[in-house]
Amino acid sequence: MKKLNIYFTAGIPTLEDTGKIAGLIQESGADMMEIGIPYSDPVADGPVIQEAHSLALNNGMSIKKLFDQLAEIKDSVIIPKILMGYLNPVLQFGFENFCHKCSEVGISGLIIPDLPPIEFEKKYGEILKKYNLNFTFLVTPETSEERIKYLDSLSSGFLYAVSSSSTTGNSNTVVKNESYLNRLASLKLKNPVLIGFGIKNKSDFENVTEKAEGGIIGTAFVKILLEKKNWEIEAANFIHSVKA
């Protein structure tokens, strides 16, 4: 079975919904989740997720608050939970302190897209190991084979393959970049490859996972949380429809 990884931004639709959404993702049959840490300048994200970041910050979400919420669901939500965020707020919190808290509240790994690999090797890799946390790097269709292999060697858990070079949620995203997916499949990487950016439904998910181990859905899911009054039912139905 291909793995379905669902992303959502912590602190939306209301500040206290994080645990409820995490539980819903697990119960609806997803295999893992990425929980986004809201940030005031989410440069790699498209308009929907930017809007989610903005709402979450206005709602009062902070890293400290998020850790409190994660502590409450540590024993009930047991599928892998990955924190995704930008480097600046993590450094302000204190990198080692952040990793220590992650290990205490049941986080299995981190994705920090703007952490340079060279810095990771020099400063941060050992800290992540110390707290038994995976770290995932991102690759794109423009990433050279040599660099893909290098980022795969640094990653653990999985390698995040961005399906196109646009921001997340761009409606023009080419979901199935055939030559890129073939290239990734031929490289004999150590980590499973999960494809993200632009997956909106079951057929997109099936398309991109023909040659990859799984897919990541963010914008389409976050859109439901932002726009639907009965988001709990709609969100559960959406995950069921992709996994069915």
Side-chain angles (χ1 to χ4, degrees), residues 1-7 25 29-34 82 158-163 175 181 192-218 238-239 242-243:
M1 284 291 285
K2 302 297 184 178
K3 286 196 170 2
L4 174 60
N5 181 357
I6 296 285
Y7 166 93
I25 290 170
D31 301 284
M32 58 205 293
M33 70 185 74
E34 287 169 21
I82 296 146
F158 67 95
L159 188 67
Y160 191 137
V162 177
S163 64
V175 173
L181 296 179
V193 172
L194 268 60
I195 312 280
F197 284 41
I199 303 172
K200 298 183 217 48
N201 51 42
K202 182 180 174 67
S203 82
D204 287 348
F205 181 74
E206 287 178 343
N207 268 332
V208 300
T209 57
E210 273 174 27
K211 295 197 172 74
E213 282 81 0
I216 302 160
I217 298 182
F238 174 77
I239 296 171
V242 176
K243 284 293 278 187

Side-chain angles (χ1 to χ4, degrees), residues 114-162:
D114 59 341
L115 173 56
I118 197 85
E119 293 289 305
F120 173 89
E121 284 195 274
K122 281 199 301 206
K123 287 190 198 168
Y124 302 117
E126 287 307 310
I127 299 172
L128 287 147
K129 271 200 194 116
K130 177 178 169 183
Y131 293 102
N132 203 22
L133 294 168
N134 288 324
F135 193 91
T136 290
F137 281 97
L138 283 76
V139 300
T140 76
E142 277 68 50
T143 310
S144 69
E145 292 194 4
E146 190 184 355
R147 192 163 172 83
I148 290 171
K149 287 178 175 170
Y150 166 61
L151 294 173
D152 176 56
S153 75
L154 297 182
S155 295
S156 50
F158 67 95
L159 188 67
Y160 191 137
V162 177

Side-chain angles (χ1 to χ4, degrees), residues 90-112:
V90 174
L91 292 181
Q92 285 175 359
F93 193 85
F95 195 89
E96 179 150 5
N97 190 26
F98 182 85
C99 292
H100 182 219
K101 289 296 290 180
C102 284
S103 70
E104 283 185 342
V105 300
I107 291 298
S108 61
L110 302 181
I111 304 173
I112 304 175

Side-chain angles (χ1 to χ4, degrees), residues 73-91:
I73 60 167
K74 182 187 175 187
D75 299 324
S76 57
V77 180
I78 55 173
I79 63 172
K81 299 183 289 289
I82 296 146
L83 284 186
M84 184 169 191
Y86 290 84
L87 185 57
N88 197 20
V90 174
L91 292 181

Side-chain angles (χ1 to χ4, degrees), residues 27-42:
E27 285 153 30
S28 302
D31 301 284
M32 58 205 293
M33 70 185 74
E34 287 169 21
I35 302 169
I37 302 166
Y39 183 47
S40 54
D41 186 24

